[in-house]
Amino acid sequence: MLTMKEGGRMAQYHKFDLENWPRREHYRYYTECLKIEFNLTVPVDVKHMLEVCHKKGYRFYPAMIALITQIMNETENFRMCRGKEGELCVWDEIVPNYTIFHEDDQTFSDCWSAYTPDFDALYHGIVEDMEKYGNKKGIKAREGQPANFYCVSCVPWVSFTGCSSRLTNSGEPAFFPVITMGKYQEEQGKMMMPVNLNIAHAVCDGYHASMFFQRLQERLHQFS
């Protein structure tokens, strides 16, 4: 077990068995030859979850962050990272790093929350952090962001059909996932919301991305 300290927090990860991974050639190809990321936008039906949130008094945005964070933590591909010497590793868990919008000046700030597999505890932790750091301006509302994070945000003003925003100065794709949600709107009795996943091809293929959306839709229908 290896650890990485950042922001005063200790995150744990372990070295991945690359040689026995069926994707080893794909990983090497997309880290040595074609260093790309890809993104996929899929509309999901959030009608049932909205109804449950309204009934129980849950806030939709932090509830979606909690749900997505649970799914992210269930798949190794979304928790992969590089170790201190550049080796392929996997975090034991990843935490959500999300945006908070400031209505008064139309800017946003980043905030993060600790992870727990229990949905209610995760949801309430996110809500508490949003309330605690929600009025702090600047890029980082909460300091001490740990290294084991993924990014999640919402653009509630538009229902988009595609989204791509990540560039790297070094030319090396970042392994952490980036999730962007859009405006939901009614379509044929459903409430459809676009969700975009952006991730490095080195650690994730179309199959893994598709399974994420499949699980997300299933959890949205089952949300209780």
Side-chain angles (χ1 to χ4, degrees):
M1 186 66 65
L2 305 169
T3 59
M4 184 181 295
K5 189 174 184 180
E6 190 161 328
R9 292 175 57 86
M10 195 71 73
Q12 294 184 330
Y13 63 96
H14 61 272
K15 187 175 180 179
F16 190 73
D17 183 8
L18 180 61
E19 294 308 314
N20 291 314
W21 192 24
R23 287 193 74 258
R24 61 186 177 276
E25 291 186 14
H26 300 73
Y27 174 78
R28 288 177 176 136
Y29 180 77
Y30 287 117
T31 53
E32 298 172 7
C33 300
L34 193 59
K35 302 177 181 181
I36 64 171
E37 299 176 1
F38 75 93
N39 70 88
L40 187 65
T41 300
V42 175
V44 295
D45 182 8
V46 298
K47 182 177 182 180
H48 174 70
M49 185 167 181
L50 282 169
E51 293 172 347
V52 175
C53 286
H54 292 159
K55 181 179 179 179
K56 291 191 172 185
Y58 280 21
R59 290 162 56 181
F60 180 69
Y61 182 42
M64 282 296 299
I65 294 174
L67 190 66
I68 290 171
T69 302
Q70 283 186 319
I71 298 172
M72 283 286 159
N73 274 281
E74 293 170 1
T75 303
E76 281 187 327
N77 300 74
F78 300 133
R79 292 185 280 113
M80 289 183 169
C81 63
R82 293 185 179 91
K84 295 179 180 180
E85 297 180 359
E87 71 276 25
L88 180 62
C89 297
V90 178
W91 294 114
D92 287 358
E93 62 182 36
I94 54 175
V95 304
N97 182 77
Y98 47 88
T99 56
I100 298 175
F101 183 70
H102 306 296
E103 294 282 355
D104 57 347
D105 61 6
Q106 291 80 54
T107 63
F108 73 89
S109 300
D110 278 353
C111 188
W112 61 270
S113 294
Y115 174 70
T116 172
D118 180 78
F119 178 85
D120 279 339
L122 179 58
Y123 166 80
H124 288 295
I126 294 171
V127 171
E128 290 174 5
D129 289 335
M130 285 182 169
E131 293 175 351
K132 182 176 181 179
Y133 301 101
N135 292 323
K136 186 175 180 181
K137 301 295 181 65
I139 290 294
K140 299 296 180 183
R142 183 181 184 182
E143 299 298 329
Q145 175 182 300
N148 57 324
F149 72 92
Y150 84 97
C151 292
V152 55
S153 63
C154 186
V155 186
W157 308 278
V158 62
S159 181
F160 53 79
T161 56
C163 178
S164 181
S165 61
R166 186 161 64 177
L167 295 175
T168 55
N169 294 329
S170 65
E172 296 292 335
F175 286 179
F176 64 87
V178 177
I179 298 289
T180 307
M181 296 174 278
K183 178 182 179 179
Y184 56 78
Q185 56 188 9
E186 187 173 1
E187 297 179 14
Q188 299 180 341
K190 299 180 180 180
M191 199 65 73
M192 304 304 295
M193 182 181 75
V195 178
N196 176 270
L197 166 66
N198 193 319
I199 194 166
H201 213 337
V203 298
C204 183
D205 298 324
Y207 169 79
H208 308 98
S210 300
M211 290 302 100
F212 163 75
F213 287 107
Q214 180 176 311
R215 289 170 185 157
L216 177 59
Q217 186 61 81
E218 289 173 351
R219 302 291 177 83
L220 288 168
H221 285 323
Q222 298 167 358
F223 185 72
S224 63

